[in-house]
Amino acid sequence: MWLLCRCTAKYVPASFSRGVSASFLHVLRRSKSSCNSAAFMPESAGFEGVSGRDALHDYSVSHSESFWAAVARQRLSWIRPFDAVQDCDLSQGRIKWFEGGKLNVSVNCLDRHVHTCPERVALIWERDEQGSEVRYTYRELLEMTCRLGNLLRRHGVKKGDCVTIYMPTCPLAVASMLACARIGAAHNVVFAGFSAEALAERIRDAQSSTVITVNQGVRGGKILELKKTVDAAVQSCPTVQQVFVAIRTENEVEMTHRDFTLEEEMLKEDVVCEPAPMDSEDVLFLLYTSGSTGKPKGLVHTQAGYLLYTALTHRYVFSYHDGDVFGCVADIGWITGHSYTVYGPLANGGTTVLFESTPVYPDPAYRFAVSVDSMDRRN
């Protein structure tokens, strides 16, 4: 069973979001210029001569250093303030943001919200089983993340390592991502629909010694043999030393000498995990392209700039307001899932939906009823 699993038979209150189709600055430009810019973005109260959204857009372009400095100081919690806002030259492939600054992404997504609203719901997990959901508060998600972070540290994962995560969209997958961020390890989330060969290629390229997976996945009423896929993949991955296996179903799977049951190991750990101070430009995660046009390419995303981008676009592109329930149904194995299922909503202290199933299971009418019911309850 999942750690801290508490199921209730309710419809999930999610408003499903469209993909990002406009940049943050374009959103500013399209907004009504007569609106109060300080109400729209509180930081603008300190921008001289800015009184409307058109003026705010113009200021962000003409005074980009001041604009991004103010937003970064206000929206992120820093261990050490940054010295420079940006050092970017696209012609030379140089992109650096907030150099000299130190922070921890998991602290920004969890700890600071636990200090103010520990019992706010962070995650609503709509499971594949019809009419069931699991909710986790920010306090519970922080405890889960800390246990996982301590577990990884105890098993030798250190700052700069890369952990491969091969899991469906679920609370422990989110906690695994945040646990890596907490201890300074990068994560490499691989879409749980990929084959053993595709998984192995990404593990080898990331040089991962640790893999986190589940015994079996459940999607559309079907069982997915994820542990067996991992077993086949690691046969050609000599760097892999350990595999942590979470339990999603009651079915037993074969365990080898390198395998550990994740929940059992987590219960041995403390609920407090010291966060690693990370430089703004340290690696946060690797994410590989699909490989449909050739060899998969591992893209690197760093700490502060990425987190600020996801927080701002989540709030302004999707018009998120405090108290909203936000649902992005992209799998966490894709960048949209990283940004708008995990990091953006949690950075803003929001409630985010984890969707395990498919839009047509058990039938399209049921999934439509779920979204309509959620809209009715929100309004």
Side-chain angles (χ1 to χ4, degrees):
M1 298 295 291
W2 296 105
L3 191 71
L4 299 174
C5 183
R6 296 156 293 108
C7 304
T8 58
K10 298 179 182 178
Y11 287 131
V12 60
S15 55
F16 298 113
S17 306
R18 302 187 191 96
V20 180
S21 59
S23 72
F24 167 65
L25 295 181
H26 287 160
V27 171
L28 292 180
R29 194 63 171 175
R30 290 200 311 268
S31 302
K32 295 179 180 179
S33 59
S34 60
C35 293
N36 186 334
S37 61
F40 180 74
M41 176 176 281
E43 295 91 339
S44 67
F47 301 156
E48 185 176 354
V50 174
S51 58
R53 294 189 190 178
D54 275 355
L56 177 57
H57 170 266
D58 293 340
Y59 185 91
S60 72
V61 174
S62 60
H63 298 79
S64 62
E65 294 272 334
S66 299
F67 176 85
W68 289 110
V71 173
R73 292 188 182 106
Q74 179 68 27
R75 305 293 173 108
L76 301 181
S77 295
W78 297 88
I79 297 171
R80 182 190 183 280
F82 50 87
D83 300 320
V85 175
Q86 58 179 295
D87 178 14
C88 301
D89 186 338
L90 293 180
S91 66
Q92 298 183 22
R94 186 176 72 248
I95 304 173
K96 296 182 179 180
W97 284 87
F98 310 119
E99 284 189 285
K102 290 183 179 292
L103 79 172
N104 186 278
V105 165
S106 78
V107 170
N108 277 271
C109 290
L110 298 175
D111 301 57
R112 60 176 177 164
H113 306 310
V114 170
H115 290 323
T116 58
C117 47
E119 301 308 313
R120 177 183 295 170
V121 176
L123 306 178
I124 299 175
W125 180 31
E126 186 185 356
R127 307 194 310 160
D128 194 69
E129 292 84 353
Q130 182 174 351
S132 69
E133 68 178 38
V134 184
R135 296 183 174 215
Y136 287 80
T137 66
Y138 272 90
R139 176 184 57 79
E140 291 168 334
L141 181 56
L142 175 60
E143 290 180 0
M144 194 191 319
T145 297
C146 286
R147 287 182 187 273
L148 241 168
N150 287 329
L151 170 60
L152 292 174
R153 275 178 172 159
R154 176 162 64 87
H155 282 262
V157 179
K158 58 187 183 300
K159 182 177 179 178
D161 289 347
C162 185
V163 174
T164 293
I165 300 170
Y166 184 70
M167 305 177 79
T169 301
C170 61
L172 273 175
V174 174
S176 296
M177 296 166 69
L178 293 169
C180 291
R182 195 166 193 87
I183 67 173
H187 58 71
N188 164 34
V189 181
V190 178
F191 172 53
F194 277 157
S195 68
E197 294 78 11
L199 173 61
E201 187 171 20
R202 288 159 174 80
I203 292 173
R204 288 194 299 268
D205 193 75
Q207 300 180 12
S208 294
S209 63
T210 302
V211 176
I212 306 176
T213 189
V214 300
N215 65 332
Q216 294 174 317
V218 184
R219 193 165 191 262
K222 299 178 181 179
I223 296 296
L224 307 175
E225 299 290 353
L226 300 188
K227 173 59 166 55
K228 288 184 179 179
T229 301
V230 171
D231 288 343
V234 299
Q235 295 303 313
S236 60
C237 301
T239 60
V240 175
Q241 300 174 4
Q242 54 204 359
V243 176
F244 295 103
V245 184
I247 306 302
R248 173 60 177 92
T249 71
E250 296 180 356
N251 301 322
E252 293 186 1
V253 296
E254 182 179 354
M255 300 288 280
T256 72
H257 67 281
R258 68 167 69 88
D259 299 332
F260 300 87
T261 302
L262 182 61
E263 293 91 338
E264 290 180 2
E265 294 298 312
M266 287 172 64
L267 288 174
K268 301 175 184 177
E269 303 298 336
D270 194 359
V271 297
V272 176
C273 177
E274 185 68 23
M278 303 297 292
D279 291 338
S280 293
E281 283 295 317
D282 281 340
V283 175
L284 176 60
F285 63 86
L286 297 179
L287 190 61
Y288 286 82
T289 60
S290 65
S292 57
T293 58
K295 180 179 174 60
K297 302 168 184 64
L299 306 180
V300 172
H301 293 262
T302 56
Q303 309 271 330
Y306 170 79
L307 186 63
L308 183 62
Y309 168 81
T310 58
L312 284 177
T313 52
H314 171 251
R315 183 171 292 276
Y316 293 114
V317 172
F318 294 108
S319 190
Y320 169 79
H321 293 82
D322 292 342
D324 286 350
V325 174
F326 185 83
C328 170
V329 299
D331 191 278
I332 60 166
W334 309 120
I335 186 59
T336 309
H338 279 54
S339 299
Y340 302 114
T341 301
V342 181
Y343 287 114
L346 295 180
N348 286 328
T351 299
T352 182
V353 175
L354 308 178
F355 184 66
E356 183 182 42
S357 191
T358 74
V360 296
Y361 177 79
D363 59 73
Y366 168 73
R367 292 299 175 191
F368 177 75
V370 169
S371 61
V372 169
D373 177 74
S374 69
M375 287 293 190
D376 288 343
R377 287 193 282 155
R378 283 187 63 206
N379 297 328

